[in-house]
Every structure is written in C-alpha cells, then in structure tokens.
Amino acid sequence: MFLSFFRSAKFRFLFTLSALLTLGASLLNPVPQAALAAANVLYVNPDDQAQAAGASSAIYSSEILNLANWKLQLPIGTQGSVREIKQPALDTYSIDPYFLVNSSGNGVQFRAPVNGVTTSGSKYPRSELREMNGTSKASWSTTSGVHTMYIDQAVTAVPKTKRHIVVGQIHDSVDDVIVIRLEYPNLFIDINGSAGPTLDSNYTLGKRFNVKFVAANGQIEIYYNGSSTPAYTLSRNGPGNYFKAGAYTQANTSTETDDTSNNYGEVYIYGLWVTHQRASPDTTPPTLSNVTASGISDTSATITWQTNEAADSFIDYGPSATYGSSQSAPTLVGSHSLTLTGLAPATAYHYRVTSRDAAGNTAVTGDLTFTTAAATSSTVPTAPTAPASSVTTTVPAAPAASVPVPTTPTAPVAPLPQAGGGGFSSGGGTMGGGGGGLPTVSLIGLSGSLPIGALGHAMAATSLNSSDGLLSLDIAFSTQMLGANNQPIASLTAEPTSSLPMPPSLNAIVLAYDLGPSGATFSPPITLTLNYDPARLPAGVAEDSLVISFWNGSEWENLATSVNSEAKAASAPISHFSTYALLSLAPAPAPAPIPTPSQEPTTTLAPEPPKSEPVPEPTLTLAPPLSSEAVQTPVPVLPVPALSPAAVPEPPAADVMLAPETGLRASEQASAPRTQSDANPTPIPGIIIGLPALAVIGLAFRFARKRLV
C-alpha cells in the first residue's frame, strides 16, 4: 500500500510542491549572516562554533582589562614597524588570534607566532601591551613615587623547539630591566639577561599565577602568588621606566623547524592593574656633622665632614668671611673630604661647607676658620702671593741675607685663587672652574668643563667636544640642565653608535651618537653640531640635504638643520638627549625614459602584417563585392589584417575588472575570504530570481490539480 502511494501522482505532486516552496523561500530570504554579530559573536568559523556558543557576554578586551593607559603592539605589519593600536581605538579592538577575549570570556588572549614581525631593535615577535601616560609614553623613575603592576595570568602555549616566553616586564629607555620569563618548564625572574630566582621549576601550561612589580626608593621588588615577602629585590636607580604585559615570544623562524603561524607563544591575562603613587616631596636637608680641618700645611688643608644621607660636597673659602674661592665634588656621598691647595703661608682662612641631597635640599655650616702653617725656608722665595708689581710696596727692603718671613701686612692683599680648568668671573670675583670653581658636570666621551649651579644652570658658556672630534655641544650661559627626576644633571655622555633602527626610506645614516643621560632636558635648547666627511656621503647626495634627526622610540624625527658646506658641519638645536644621527637623503632613482616621437611605436604596440603577403581576400566575404577602385584604395583595407583574429586586442583582463559590491578583483573573488558585507547581500537579486520560481510553483499546482481531477 505504501509503495503504491509513493508511486502515485499525489505523492509526486506533494514532493514537487515541497521542493519548489523550499527553493523559493531560500531565494527570497537568504540567511542574514549579520545575525551572528547580534549574538555577541566576535569571530565565527566552523571550528569556533562550540567556542562561540559558550562565550560570556564580554565582547571587548577592555571589558576585562583596564586598557586606558596602554597601547598594543602586534606581531603583524612590517618588519621593524609593527601594527600598534592606541586609545581610543584599543577599547573596541580585537583581532583573532593575536588579541581577543578567550573562549571562557574571563580573560584576554595574547598570541605571538614565531613567524611574526618584530619591533625595531628586537628579533622576537610580540603581542604585548606597552604602558602609556594618556597619549604620551609612560616614563617614571624608581627613585620618585611608588609604581606597581599586578598581573593575573596563565601561559597557554610555548614554541615547539625553543620553549621560551616573557610574560611581564619593567623596561627602561634602552633595554629590559627585569622580566618574568618561562623557559619551559622553569618559570623564573630574569634580570636583564641574567637568571634570577626560580618561581616554579615545574610549571605546567594553563596554570594560573600572579606576579606583582613594585618600584620605589631606588629598588624593584617582585612578589609571586600573593606572598608578602618579595621573591627578589633589585637595586635600581634610574628614570625612563615603564611596564609591559602580554606575550613576548622568545623564538623566531631561525630557532624553529616549524616556522608557520601554528607555532606560537600564548598568554591569557585575567587581571591587570597599574598604580602610580606620588611620593611625598623630600624637603629635609641633610644633617652635617664632624666638620674638621686637618692636614694643614703652609699651602694646603683638608676639610672633612659627614652627612646622614648621600649628598654632594662644596666648600667656600678665603682670607675673609666673604670667601672668594671654592672647591667641590658632585658625587653624592655620606663621607666628604676636599683638599684646598695653593694657600698662603701663615694666613687665617675662613670657610664653610655645603651639601645638597638628591632632592636638592641644601645644608650649610656657619663660618669656620683655620690658619696655615708658617712658611719654611724652602718656601721663603715664593711666599709673596700679591702681584709682582706690588711686592716692592708691601715688603720692606732688607739685605738679602736677612730677608724675614713676611707677616700679615696692615692692609692684607687677598691671595689669588688657584684656577682650575677654565675659570669664570661672577660678581667681580674670579672663580676657578673645574678644580677650583663651582661643581662641574662629569663628562664621559666629551672634553671640556661645564660648571653647574645649585638649580642646574650652566655657570659659563661652554663648548664640549667628543673624543673623535666629530661632535660638539654648545651650551649658553644660564642654560638650565635637568635630569629625568627634574634635578640638576650630574653627568653628560656622548658615545658613537652603530646599533640603530632603520632610517626612513631613501635615507642613509652618516654618523650617530647616543647622548645621555636619557631624559636630560635643556632650557633653552643647546646646539648639537655633527662634522661629516664628504667622501663618506652616498654618491649623488647633496650636502645641503643633510639633516640631524633623533629616535623618539618609534621613528626618526628630523630637526631644523643648518649645513655649513665650507666647514663640513651640520647643526641643530636640541632640548633633550636621545640617539641622534646625521641622515642623508639619497637621490631618487632616475625616471624611466619616455619614448620620443622618433621611435616606432607600431613595432611594439601591435604585430606588423607580413610585408610579403598581399591584402587578405577575406575582406571580400565580409561585405558586398567592392568596385575595383575601392579594392585598390589602400586606406580602408589595410586595417583589416591588423585586426585579424591573431591580432585583435584581448578585452581587459579579468583581474582589472572590479566585481560588483565587494570591490575585489574578479580573479580574487573566488579565493577571497567572506566578510560580513558580502555575507549579507541585498535581497533584490533573490526577489528577481524568486518571482519566476513562484510562477513555476503556480503552474505545477494547476497541473497537479488537473491530474487529481
């Protein structure tokens, strides 16, 4: 009975009607892929359906982590210039599989494959957050304030061969300072490339743990899994620091057999907090004690004293309480000792000591005195300290055999101070620079002398030169020179360098220097001059195209540069220290030659008809027979062979024809990934196709009714 029903006309009618109705419905109402997005699905493919079904309501990583003061660096982009996502775009950004909410919806996935591109100066890929301060890069000192980062995380994947990954760090302007590193299965603290304490010697992938970095008072402490005792404490004094968190894979294609994106390091971060507490300002000056004058001779004396904290050393001295000479040492110490030389014999000297701590607080003693010893016979000939022109008026004449040791005259003449390396005048009194003047800045890789005042002002116009003679710094009198901690600088460094980021396109680096300390600022700007050798310039480079540029951490920035082609020097004002380079703009490649009218374009634009063949006869079959006059007329006939099937120009290639709606080239359409826009086509084509389908359905229905009747 069932078989007879399946063979009946009624079954065939019902089956046909059902199929046609299904076809018409699908044509009229294509499935809208946008419905997936409405269900909080970030990314869907067949392998992700189960994951998407179990995801929480979190869509963006910013719903799990506070990303307000971070930027994201990804392992994609171009080598040396990775893709960076900054605020406010970062709050709503995700990219599978490098940065997105994990499948459980309770953490953020960071993934860096071994074949990813790297940042400038690094050979390993990263999917990592870099701390910011609003739109500026974060930069703080370990000696000012309290800086804390807490990370709750788990390492979920390591590369297959070199199973190393960094999962949290403090970095400075040059290199990493201290990091959390997994060399699977050993999880430990790494101090700038040196292995520190082990946190977990048998770490298993997916195990959740937390670490806390605390930087304050010149120290960095690392806490592990909530312990109140630091796992490690690093003594670190310095500015320019910032936090980083995420997956910094320590492997690349040169370390791995599998160099595909299926080989990667991966981290889930469940919580990330950063705080910066401003320290109460230090307003307490150092305490001075045990001030003593000892080792007193006829021409020298040593002054010693103690301070209860590290501070510099400064002495004012002279034959009266107005002093007039000074001696100093800029190093911050607790035990101080300075030797005064070039003193006059048998002379009473007044002096006072001054010490300034790192916060700029100053302590000064009252007026103190000591008296030099009387001159010995060996010093009698050189005892007078007044100028030679005044000796005859102050020393009474006497027989040479009975010249007495001079005593203090009724109108004493102050002894001239012993000038150090370059003196300067202030307030009418000559003061020695370097050995006998105000504190001087310590110079590394530079020659010259730079006296500095208590507030960081240059106390003399100064020109400093590098040891190779190719760099000079011109500093005007009263220029304020401050370090990253906003205190007067203690040193300046200039070192040639060749480890540099790539210059901009068409540029070449002629020479470069690292100027330090990092974070040093100058107000008003000082002048940097770089001397060049024309023989070292790339061929074809014009000297007036040279420009001084500095590395700002992500790119080279050009400065307003003046070039003196006669002196072979380029100069620019600079207001801070960084890596500076002299760049040359390479000549652009010569443009391709443009064909001149004398050339024969017909020999290259289209095949030339064989000269030995007559005009092809097929022209007589394409139109009614021509008159003998028309056949003999060459003008209308000659183009015909040029447009023979072999020479007819092809229509424009498919790959230059834009496909409708998608904007993709037609040849790319088949392989192009589907996007949300092309997954939701306009319903008009479906309606146009569906109407004939409905007509077919109507005809089928009428036919079936006749059969049934």
Side-chain angles (χ1 to χ4, degrees):
M1 181 176 181
F2 284 101
L3 290 175
S4 61
F5 171 73
F6 287 126
R7 293 173 180 172
S8 68
K10 182 178 291 187
F11 171 77
R12 289 195 298 273
F13 160 72
L14 293 175
F15 179 84
T16 303
L17 180 61
S18 175
L20 291 174
L21 287 174
T22 301
L23 173 63
S26 65
L27 293 172
L28 285 170
N29 298 292
V31 177
Q33 299 296 317
L36 296 175
N40 291 328
V41 177
L42 290 177
Y43 178 86
V44 175
N45 62 34
D47 297 329
D48 292 338
Q49 295 290 351
Q51 169 181 317
S56 76
S57 60
I59 298 178
Y60 302 117
S61 301
S62 60
E63 298 179 72
I64 299 172
L65 308 180
N66 183 351
L67 301 175
N69 284 304
W70 296 97
K71 75 173 179 180
L72 175 66
Q73 295 178 308
L74 292 165
I76 54 178
T78 59
Q79 189 64 29
S81 181
V82 302
R83 182 184 298 180
E84 292 188 342
I85 310 299
K86 302 178 181 179
Q87 288 291 1
L90 180 58
D91 273 342
T92 55
Y93 183 82
S94 67
I95 180 168
D96 192 354
Y98 309 117
F99 177 76
L100 72 162
V101 175
N102 67 359
S103 59
S104 300
N106 63 344
V108 178
Q109 173 179 305
F110 295 78
R111 180 186 294 184
V114 298
N115 62 352
V117 299
T118 70
T119 56
S120 175
S122 174
K123 58 183 179 180
Y124 298 123
R126 71 184 77 212
S127 174
E128 192 176 40
L129 295 171
R130 196 272 193 207
E131 187 187 8
M132 301 288 286
N133 182 11
T135 58
S136 302
K137 293 180 180 179
S139 179
W140 40 263
S141 173
T142 56
T143 59
S144 177
V146 180
H147 314 277
T148 306
M149 177 173 69
Y150 175 90
I151 313 176
D152 179 7
Q153 61 186 339
V155 179
T156 53
V158 293
K160 298 175 182 178
T161 303
K162 187 184 177 188
R163 301 180 173 186
H164 299 179
I165 188 171
V166 167
V167 292
Q169 56 178 311
I170 291 179
H171 206 284
D172 66 15
S173 59
V174 178
D175 205 349
D176 57 276
V177 175
I178 189 167
V179 308
I180 305 301
R181 185 181 181 98
L182 174 64
E183 295 185 359
Y184 188 80
N186 186 36
L187 182 68
F188 64 97
I189 299 170
D190 182 291
I191 305 96
N192 192 222
S194 299
T198 295
L199 301 176
D200 188 341
S201 61
N202 192 29
Y203 180 81
T204 55
L205 295 180
K207 183 192 294 186
R208 193 162 166 175
F209 67 95
N210 62 71
V211 292
K212 182 170 69 172
F213 298 75
V214 180
N217 301 318
Q219 293 183 329
I220 298 175
E221 296 176 334
I222 305 295
Y223 297 83
Y224 180 64
N225 277 347
S227 173
S228 60
T229 302
Y232 183 74
T233 300
L234 172 67
S235 294
R236 177 76 177 185
N237 291 319
N241 301 287
Y242 55 92
F243 292 120
K244 304 192 82 172
Y248 184 18
T249 300
Q250 299 293 288
N252 54 32
T253 54
S254 66
T255 67
E256 303 297 305
T257 303
D258 180 359
D259 59 1
T260 69
S261 57
N262 294 323
N263 190 9
Y264 53 84
E266 185 179 83
V267 176
Y268 285 1
I269 296 183
Y270 304 97
L272 176 63
W273 297 271
V274 170
T275 61
H276 296 284
Q277 298 174 342
R278 187 181 299 276
S280 300
D282 177 8
T283 59
T284 304
T287 300
L288 305 176
S289 60
N290 302 325
V291 182
T292 305
S294 60
I296 301 172
S297 70
D298 56 345
T299 59
S300 65
T302 298
I303 311 299
T304 59
W305 71 98
Q306 303 289 323
T307 53
N308 65 333
E309 61 176 314
D312 62 8
S313 311
F314 193 89
I315 299 176
D316 291 303
Y317 68 98
S320 69
T322 58
Y323 310 113
S325 297
S326 63
Q327 178 73 283
S328 65
T331 305
L332 303 183
V333 295
S335 296
H336 308 259
S337 178
L338 291 176
T339 299
L340 311 180
T341 59
L343 306 179
T347 302
Y349 279 91
H350 295 256
Y351 73 98
R352 67 182 178 189
V353 301
T354 302
S355 283
R356 180 184 60 188
D357 64 15
N361 302 304
T362 302
V364 184
T365 65
D367 184 58
L368 304 169
T369 61
F370 67 89
T371 302
T372 55
T376 62
S377 58
S378 61
T379 62
V380 170
T382 59
T385 58
S389 61
S390 64
V391 171
T392 58
T393 63
T394 58
V395 180
S402 60
V403 175
V405 175
T407 59
T408 304
T410 55
V413 178
L416 295 175
Q418 302 300 307
F424 62 94
S425 299
S426 176
T430 302
M431 301 184 66
L438 289 170
T440 56
V441 176
S442 175
L443 303 177
I444 301 174
L446 293 165
S447 61
S449 179
L450 180 55
I452 185 171
L455 298 179
H457 292 91
M459 301 307 294
T462 302
S463 181
L464 307 177
N465 299 291
S466 63
S467 55
D468 59 12
L470 298 179
L471 173 147
S472 65
L473 298 172
D474 292 305
I475 304 172
F477 171 73
S478 194
T479 299
Q480 189 171 37
M481 305 170 290
L482 301 178
N485 59 358
N486 212 33
Q487 298 300 318
I489 60 173
S491 65
L492 293 179
T493 64
E495 298 180 358
T497 181
S498 57
S499 299
L500 297 164
M502 290 293 294
S505 177
L506 297 181
N507 282 257
I509 295 176
V510 179
L511 70 164
Y513 290 82
D514 283 330
L515 301 183
S518 176
T521 60
F522 305 91
S523 179
I526 65 177
T527 300
L528 167 65
T529 300
L530 297 174
N531 300 308
Y532 60 89
D533 180 358
R536 295 182 59 188
L537 300 180
V541 167
E543 294 182 37
D544 59 5
S545 71
L546 297 176
V547 63
I548 294 178
S549 184
F550 74 92
W551 181 251
N552 67 9
S554 59
E555 62 183 355
W556 289 100
E557 284 192 26
N558 293 339
L559 300 175
T561 305
S562 60
V563 178
N564 186 334
S565 57
E566 293 184 1
K568 307 303 179 188
S571 301
I574 64 174
S575 58
H576 69 284
F577 270 177
S578 177
T579 297
Y580 285 84
L582 183 63
L583 303 182
S584 65
L585 181 62
I594 300 174
T596 62
S598 61
Q599 293 175 322
E600 296 292 338
T602 55
T603 60
T604 58
L605 295 180
E608 187 174 301
K611 295 182 179 179
S612 59
E613 296 181 10
V615 176
E617 290 299 330
T619 56
L620 300 177
T621 64
L622 298 177
L626 300 176
S627 64
S628 58
E629 293 83 359
V631 173
Q632 294 172 0
T633 303
V635 175
V637 179
L638 283 176
V640 175
L643 297 176
S644 62
V648 172
E650 293 290 337
D655 63 356
V656 299
M657 299 175 62
L658 295 181
E661 300 178 5
T662 63
L664 293 174
R665 299 180 185 276
S667 61
E668 298 169 354
Q669 183 100 16
S671 60
R674 289 178 61 83
T675 63
Q676 185 167 327
S677 61
D678 56 31
N680 293 274
T682 176
I684 292 177
I687 294 174
I688 295 174
I689 299 173
L691 291 176
L694 289 178
V696 173
I697 293 171
L699 293 173
F701 183 80
R702 292 177 61 185
F703 172 77
R705 288 186 59 186
K706 291 180 179 180
R707 293 292 302 271
L708 290 175
V709 172

